[in-house]
Amino acid sequence: MIRRFAVASVSLAVVLGCGTLPAVAADSVPAAVTAAAPDVDVTKVKGHLNELSAIAGRNGGNRRSTGQGYRDSVAYVKGRLQAAGYTVTEQPCTSGCTSGAGPNLIAEWPQGDAANVYMFGAHLDGVSAGPGMNDNGSGSAALLENALTLAQQNPTLRNRVRFAWWTDEEQGLNGSDFYVRSLSSADRAKIKAYYNFDMIASTNGGYFVNHITSSAAAPMKAYWDSLGLRPEENTEGAGRSDDYSFEQYGIPTSGYAMGASARKTSAQASKWGGTAGSAYDPCYHRSCDTLTNINTTGLDRASDGIAYTIWQRAVLAETGGCDTAGAVANGGFESGTAPWTGDTGSIGARSGQSAHTGTRFAWLAGYGSTRTESISQTVTVPAGCTRATLNYWLRIDTDESGSTPYDRFTVKADGTTLATLSNADAGSGYVQRSVDLTAYAGRTVTLAFTGTEDSSLQTGFVVDDVSLQSG
Ligand code: DTR
Ligand code: ZN
Ligand code: ZN
């Protein structure tokens, strides 16, 4: 059948990296890490909170973005970072912020691949009503102690870690919006995920993860799961903190929160303790958001989960691990088209074909006229794999007959053809096929699937459920 007209070809490319430290694709979870993530000392996190409380005390009881309490908060965080070896940038917010608001503070640890940046941020400003210890001394202090711990441990990094303390969040996410808006599109594309921490020590709180089912959230969720906390989606905070600024530009985001003025349900109180029917933070935006309005246990668990996520995302993968989970992202084509590139118009749920599992697939060629279509993505084959196999399901249907190949399907790694099939291999349904990628262990390669047709009699190549397996 002729399924549609026009538009170019589809090719599938998987990139296996070569040489030194493989950069892991944005959504893939590394196989293993060299060292266990450190335990972040919650007494030190509380030490930073004490300083922020004292700063508010000297400045009319608040740290609002336009006041001296905010500027002193910036100076404190900056001084601690600089003493640990960070280069710190104060970014004045020159558009969209409240008049007189202080700057954003940005600090990057100068190691790892600068083209793969993982950002961790918290707003450093508070409301006028009080010192803002839970909102958001908690996120600010946990992030600062994580930055200092990273510097002190100084592990070998494969990816880049950047920290941000935002101005003027309380007036409308203005500091973070200015930051993301001001980046070039090239620099924005380097940010593989942004993690936000706002209100992570609510006294009657719950354990909430932003976009909990996303791949960005995987390490955040995994850490709290490992503590048996059974985290839930942060529905209350959705669109209400600085992660939203990054979301607006399509950057994957996640983060932790323990909740604000919404009330704890009885199911949540059974699961986590605390008072059902009361606000997660009874002092939200009030003068009582002081040092006594801090849940030390929650703050400790969030601080350690931040470290776990930094280590999962950025610390050098251990050689010897062969965790292939997530090496091919969106291999079932169920969640949009990313990270596939090329002729992504071939991806979707279309009438005339069906998925192997789920509802979506990639349908390459099938026009009955001269044509090539390709889709690709970069794939890292873990260095520790003694065998690695790319599996995929392929359905070939054709109007050609006989055993002469006229229309072809190829699988390529970095341009090298590893498999070729044709109309002569057509059958009635999906067949699982595989390609040996063992030779690419330790490399990141472009993996490409391509369908090519001659001038008449269509052949469609339908691909679904692509995955990398060890063994
Ligand atoms: N950005 C918060 C607002 C907020 C409201 N609900 C939640 C829940 C979890 C975290 C944050 C929030 C503020 O700064 O006020
Ligand atoms: Zn907040
Ligand atoms: Zn607030």
Side-chain angles (χ1 to χ4, degrees), residues 11 25 29 44 56 68 70 91 93 105-106 130 138 149 183 190 266 342 355 408 456:
S11 70
V29 176
K44 292 185 175 168
Q68 191 61 36
Y70 180 75
Q91 180 191 42
C93 180
L105 196 66
I106 314 291
S138 63
T149 302
L183 289 172
K190 292 173 186 164
S266 50
R408 289 185 170 74
S456 68

Side-chain angles (χ1 to χ4, degrees), residues 380-427:
T380 298
V381 180
C385 296
T386 50
R387 270 190 66 77
T389 306
L390 182 79
N391 288 325
Y392 60 99
W393 291 82
L394 180 66
R395 181 178 174 211
I396 306 174
D397 76 78
T398 188
D399 293 339
E400 305 276 5
S401 52
S403 57
T404 307
Y406 298 106
D407 303 326
R408 289 185 170 74
F409 173 81
T410 62
V411 182
K412 294 191 183 116
D414 275 357
T416 300
T417 302
L418 301 176
T420 304
L421 294 154
S422 76
N423 51 279
D425 302 297

Side-chain angles (χ1 to χ4, degrees), residues 123 125 134-136 169-170 198-199 240-241 284-285:
H123 73 87
D125 67 315
N134 186 36
D135 185 14
N136 186 31
E169 187 269 359
E170 296 289 7
D198 189 356
M199 309 187 73
R240 291 177 64 179
S241 192
Y284 177 59
H285 285 186

Side-chain angles (χ1 to χ4, degrees), residues 343-368:
D343 299 309
T344 52
S346 65
I347 297 170
R350 295 172 197 290
S351 58
Q353 294 286 1
S354 54
H356 173 251
T357 63
T359 56
R360 291 157 54 86
F361 45 86
W363 186 355
L364 305 180
Y367 298 93

Side-chain angles (χ1 to χ4, degrees), residues 33-40 149 153 223 304-312 315:
V33 291
T34 36
D39 180 50
V40 174
T149 302
Q153 299 250 329
Y223 185 74
D304 291 343
I306 296 170
Y308 180 80
T309 300
I310 293 171
W311 256 249
Q312 285 291 310
V315 174

